[in-house]
Amino acid sequence: MTAAFSRLWAEIAPIGRDSAGGYLRYALSEPELILRDWFRNQADRRDMTVTDDGNGNLFAWWGRQWGPGTVLTGSHFDSVPHGGGYDGPLGIVSAFLAVDRLRAAGVTPARPIAVAAFVEEEGGRFGLPCLGSRLLTGAIDPDSAAALCDAEGVTFGEALGDRPAGALPALASRVGAVVELHIEQGRALAVPVGVASAIWPHGRWRLEFTGDGDHAGTTRMADRHDPMLTFADTVLAANEEARLAGALATIARVSVQPNATNAIPSLVRAWLDARAADTATMERLVDTIVKRAVNRAARDGTQVVVEPESASPEVAFDTTLAARLSALLGDAPILPTGAGHDAGVLSAHVPTAMLFVRNPTGISHSPAEHASDSDCAAGVEALAEVLKELAGPS
Ligand code: GLV
Ligand code: MN
Ligand code: MN
């Protein structure tokens, strides 16, 4: 299986790769469209019919489309800007190889298996993570999704070429189980394969710091109303408060106007990503960060406005299913994660599980993200076992 994995992985490895080895695979951008063609091609090679749910999500079918008890697997192709190649695509490549594995073993599943490629999981282009699964489950209405804009002003509706179709009403009655395989994204897994227990609640907030744009050479220090200072102090406050709360806060994306070396900025726009083990802790953390930003703004003579952009509630995966899969995989460890996934969105509607593949360094959302081919092959074997268990005769 390791050789089969290496071969298939090599087919997609160059697509959207930058000169530093990271990936620029924004949803519905050229590299992602190439990957979607690759997906159709892989499905064709396996006599699997591909359907599109009208939201940008693709499904390759082994068995009757949306037949009762469908087992949904797969993941996403899009990456964070200059991120790793495993986050997402590993789940899709592994799903096709798991189908091969089952077929080679002569398994004929009693229920349909669908390999999914969800659109815009990272929210890297249109700002809202898990957009495809949110649309499929009705967690966002099609008009709001269609209006989401990328950095160039292109809307999701325009990129998709249509108004999204929205929720699939039959989802909960048609899909019996979801299982997404994913690279583990911390240093929490010491063996090749684990099973997920939970996803920490997380969210994104847009922070707009405004002040008085002015000349860097003629404005006395005492006369300045510089939003960069308020922003900088807020970055430090977020880090400190997250540490105190045993939670996570990150400000990693920022845009400045006018972004000139010799001009005091008039606007600093930044995005806060906050996560915690429970929603109350996360909300308290964000409140504290915002209070500190507002206090600092009063000192700096600037203003700060905070807008929530996305909320992903706490997910507890089906404990019975997780225990069953762990036992099936020889007591695989069961572990939580701070990373978001389409499986988390789907879990509100369908019994859902995730398999994690060991990440030796724990690095993710970075070009250094990596899993060994042999661990990935172990992931394929585990996924094949799980699909057989969930889709096979019972
Ligand atoms: C997605 O990977 C996220 O956790 O932000
Ligand atoms: Mn990710
Ligand atoms: Mn992912």
Side-chain angles (χ1 to χ4, degrees), residues 124-127 145-159 253:
R125 179 167 178 192
F126 297 101
L148 291 169
C149 251
D150 73 5
E152 265 73 54
V154 178
T155 66
F156 177 66
E158 286 164 348
R253 179 178 163 208

Side-chain angles (χ1 to χ4, degrees), residues 76 78 80 87-88 121-122 182 185 339-341 364-365 369:
H76 60 97
D78 64 305
V80 296
D87 177 352
E121 190 271 354
E122 298 288 4
H182 205 278
Q185 294 173 282
H341 300 285
S364 189
H365 284 185
E369 179 185 270

Side-chain angles (χ1 to χ4, degrees), residues 145-229:
L148 291 169
C149 251
D150 73 5
E152 265 73 54
V154 178
T155 66
F156 177 66
E158 286 164 348
L160 193 63
D162 210 344
R163 177 181 179 272
L168 184 77
L171 185 76
S173 61
R174 292 280 155 181
V175 179
V178 173
V179 53
E180 180 176 356
L181 178 146
H182 205 278
I183 186 168
E184 209 272 315
Q185 294 173 282
R187 269 185 292 269
L189 189 56
V191 294
V193 178
V195 177
S197 58
I199 299 179
W200 279 23
H202 52 287
R204 298 177 184 189
W205 290 261
R206 192 174 66 251
L207 315 173
E208 296 207 346
F209 303 91
T210 48
D212 297 338
D214 213 330
H215 196 297
T218 59
T219 316
R220 295 187 320 150
M221 295 307 279
D223 293 340
R224 297 180 181 208
H225 301 295
D226 183 349
M228 187 64 84
L229 297 183

Side-chain angles (χ1 to χ4, degrees), residues 124-142:
R125 179 167 178 192
F126 297 101
L128 186 64
C130 299
L131 183 56
S133 52
R134 283 181 205 255
L135 275 163
L136 181 69
T137 56
I140 182 170
D141 71 273

Side-chain angles (χ1 to χ4, degrees), residues 238-249 285:
N239 186 282
E240 186 184 334
E241 294 299 338
R243 286 167 189 268
L244 289 170
L248 302 164
L285 169 65

